[in-house]
Amino acid sequence: MKPEGNSSKRKGSNYSDVLHTDDDLNPIPPQSGYKFSIVKALLIYPLAILPLGTGLLLAYWYRALWVRLTYSPCPLSRATTVIMTDAYGQQRVSTVQMTAFADAYSTIGDNVAISASVKRYLTHCRLRYLYSADEDKFVLLRGHDCGLTLAGVHESITGLSGRDYEQRIATYGINSIDVPVKPILVMLYQEVLTPFYAFQILCLVVWYVEEYYYYGAFIIASSLFTISYSLFQTHTSAVQLHELVRQSCTVDVIRDGKELHGVSGESLVPGDVMVIPPSGMSMPCDAVLLTGTAIVNEASLTGESIPVTKTPLPQTADELYSSDRHKQHTLFGGTCVIQTRFYNNSAVLAVATRTAFSTSKGSMVRSILYQKPFNSKFYRDAFIFIGVLGIIAAGGFLFSFIFYAVTTYTLPDGSTISYLVLSPRVYALRGFDLITIVVPPALPVAITIGTVYAVARLKKASIFCIAQQRVNLCGKIKLVCFDKTGTLTEDSVKTSGVITMTGNELCSEMQDPSSLPPCPILFTMATCHSLTWINGTLQGDPLELDMFETTKWTISEPGNDSTKFDLLVQGIVKPPPTSGLAGMEMGIMKQFPFSSELQRMCVLARALDNPKVLHVYVKGAPEKVKDLCRPETVPVNFKEVLRSLTQRGLRVLAVAHRFMELQWHKSENIDREMVECDLEFSGLIIMKNSLKPETTPVISVLKNANIRTVMVTGDNLLTAVCVARECGMIPRRHRAIVMKAEVEAHNPLPVITYEPLNSDGSVSDGQEMMQIDKPVPVAGTEDLKPEDFHLIIDGKSFAVVREHCSEDLFNKLLVKGAVFARMSPDQKAQLVLGLQNLGYGVGMCGDGANDCGALKAAHAGISLSEAEASVASPFTSKVPNITCVPKVIMEGRAALTTMFSVFKFMALYALTQFISATILYVVGTNLGDFQYLYIDFCLATIFVLVMGLNGPYPALVKQRPEGRLASVNMLVRMVVHVVLIVGFQVAALYYLKSPTWAWSWYKPFVITDPTERVPVCLENTVIFTMASFQYTGLAFALSIGPPYRKATYTNLPFLALLAIISFCNAYMILTPWGLVAPTAGLHGPPATSQHHLQGGHPAAGLCLHCSCLLP
């Protein structure tokens, strides 16, 4: 054993940032106050309006900066506007408002109350913050549950008084999670004012002033189409979200000691006591169950449609309420109460704790509205590259200005004058032309083409995406985490047998539990579950359903039979009539539902033949149940039998029991800890959960592509390892080493031990992490490499390593870990974030509520659940197996490759046009209206639309696509392209003008009218036709196929367009005097001359260089 130092603890790390819940929100976020300054406004507003209103645009885009420029800093107590920083570092501006009432209904931190003099509040990210004079800050308005003990929550059972309600409705506002759909005109206004369209408007002004009417009309038409499509998508998404969150209902509420019927759900406030009807209801807020039980469908939040039983909150005086820790007593907003139960027709009561956007449903909606900013190396590099293009554009503008300022024109009287002075409008606009050319206004739209096509293809494969920006991240996935049950293995779990006790040992396996004599393990299987009848169907967890059905017992709802017990019962179980166990009916009196944190479930039951004794039955993880049992009752062969079962890949539940002589009215509010102690070990229940047939082939595909696979599950460690070996996640001949970490009371440093699973199971004392790299002498593994081992760890040890050990050790665990068992939902998210911090592109595939945090945290979270909770995941697959994982990765690689290709094409297309225009400026002319239209529409826009149609390559290769534009390889290729473009355009012009050829029909262009916008000349024709083939060659060269996309020949629309464009280019070269010459502004040699047919036309002999361009 080895103590490990704690030099780098991670208690203050940002792992909690993943889950966008109220507990993760900073109650006092960074904030600064401002008030309006007339002096600043008088100085700033004229400066913002004068340069064509660009300052106002910047104010619209950067509101926080505008506040700082036009407002003066001031104390928060006098501020009218506050700038607050959210959890992701984004600054948001909020306006301070006033409340009519200001009682203290909020606590922060360690139960610090807000001053009763609070009257000012603001709304930040849909949550209300109240000003606290004591803190001199705006603090998060908490709900009724914050800082209350369990007994304190029960004190609310009498309801609010009328005055209390009026004060709280003024403080908290209405209970509404409303995401209004903006009017179309407002959406249009916001869309037009984006930087992309604002730049296009500037370009349109320049083009229309230059009389580029056709080209301007094309840009307007394409912009209208793009805006219309964007508005349609935005409006559709807004309507869908509005419909998803919209909720309208009426409830019965107790106020002033009276029950009010038909109260609108929007009028509820924290502290209101609701009456839950027997037929159920849709919960309009978060509430705590005070009396009775409720059967709830939480699929809208958790993704699991299995009914969940909610029980009344205990009345413990010294325990604080927490919605996470006491979720089995909490009714969450947005969930559906299917039915309620209470004895003697009493009302089922629940007290509202959180309303509006503070609820669990509101938290889910806020996670959609305020997502974590998308951060990609590609986009960072793209903005840098666009900035470089902007610098080039500024340089071109400056060159144009200086060139036309120093170049002179000879007037008829022999005097000379600068072109810029002679015709300032024409030559100044040419400078602006270069700006609109170098920074293509369609670039932001073009680079999303591949993603749009990928999302459409995924939809056809029944994989739906709600975060398109995540598609490109899928192309860089290096590691995929998988949940086990329901993801790698089948959803259905079959009970294969039980093992009972004989003396102090576990005996042999019995495959038919229904043949068991009366014993605790049989009674546990019959009572320890949360099954319930809903619409005539017995529903519940599939594991519990199968377990109960194997006993052949029956269960009935409380009714006439329940009077036999003279008590509240949640169900009555009866043995089969033919079993010989007649009269052994049992009533389920109280449930402690299964908790993923505790990893067990417990019930209190009472037999009809002995009503004075309460039976306690517990089932759960063997390790957890064993710790609750009296040591003398634990079988001596417990470890051996458990190891044997789990190594066979079987799922094992331990069972324990005890008897309590306790009056029912005292047991109703008994703590779980008082029940689950001093238990007697009863035996084991054996469950079989087989792999899905698709699992092993998919794991093989991922491993062959050098994509690491990791299992993260809440199941038993040895069972998980067996499944990992069976599916190939851990190769059979590789070593699996269990890493254990614990903190001992007498030693402040954690103790780390390693246990090779392929040995006799003994702990390897003194073995250090670096020594594990040495091969363990196991027969048949002599040829293994030192790195051929995998670490296995459970959630308890994972927490110790993360919290108490060095960062280096924790990182080694993340790098070599293959199976993470007994992991809680938070730990799954922590694992994903830890892997991301090491530079992994992480995917996560799961199907249950326990995976939601990890699905949100991962670069590519893929949910196999179709419920509403799938909004937590960027991807949702309707096909319930992991075949979706390689499909998503392949589409991500194809989209990423397409994005790179299109970006390079758009950048080189802009530089090619910039070079052509600059050369023609030196000659004294420019490209014509039709020529710009032909280049931008036929040679750029349409090519971009069809370049992304290549589907993903049908196989995953080991090498991942390039993820950065700023790589040396990428920059070298771009420079080579630019050099070739410049070289061939200059060579074409030299070929035309060279005295070596002495074309008889060639006459150098001479400016005769300096005010003429686009003089027609041979130089223009040569550069235009030369560049046309360059654009075509670039599109062909940059349409990359394997290994990430299908071959180019499979993209028939692209090939057809390539042929058509090549024909048009050839036609313009060979017949520059033809039908299109007047429209295209072409000028060629006389038709009687044959030189152009013999290679005399300059461009004809040079166009083949395009085929040599490097992709």
Side-chain angles (χ1 to χ4, degrees), residues 962-977:
E962 185 67 49
R964 297 202 60 175
L965 282 171
S967 64
V968 175
N969 185 33
M970 190 71 65
L971 294 176
V972 169
R973 292 183 180 184
M974 294 286 285
V975 171
V976 170
H977 279 301

Side-chain angles (χ1 to χ4, degrees), residues 313-326:
L313 184 75
Q315 298 190 35
T316 309
D318 57 351
E319 182 179 359
L320 292 177
Y321 170 78
S322 167
S323 59
D324 287 335
R325 190 166 58 253
H326 301 99

Side-chain angles (χ1 to χ4, degrees), residues 415-436:
S415 60
T416 59
I417 186 173
S418 167
Y419 282 111
L420 191 61
V421 176
L422 181 64
S423 184
R425 176 178 173 275
V426 171
Y427 296 104
L429 288 174
R430 287 186 179 179
F432 284 109
D433 258 350
L434 294 179
I435 296 177
T436 64

Side-chain angles (χ1 to χ4, degrees), residues 258-286:
K258 301 177 182 179
E259 184 174 338
L260 306 179
H261 300 282
V263 176
S264 171
E266 292 188 350
S267 65
L268 291 174
V269 297
D272 262 331
V273 176
M274 298 178 289
V275 180
I276 312 297
S279 58
M281 61 180 290
S282 179
M283 289 301 299
C285 62
D286 286 359

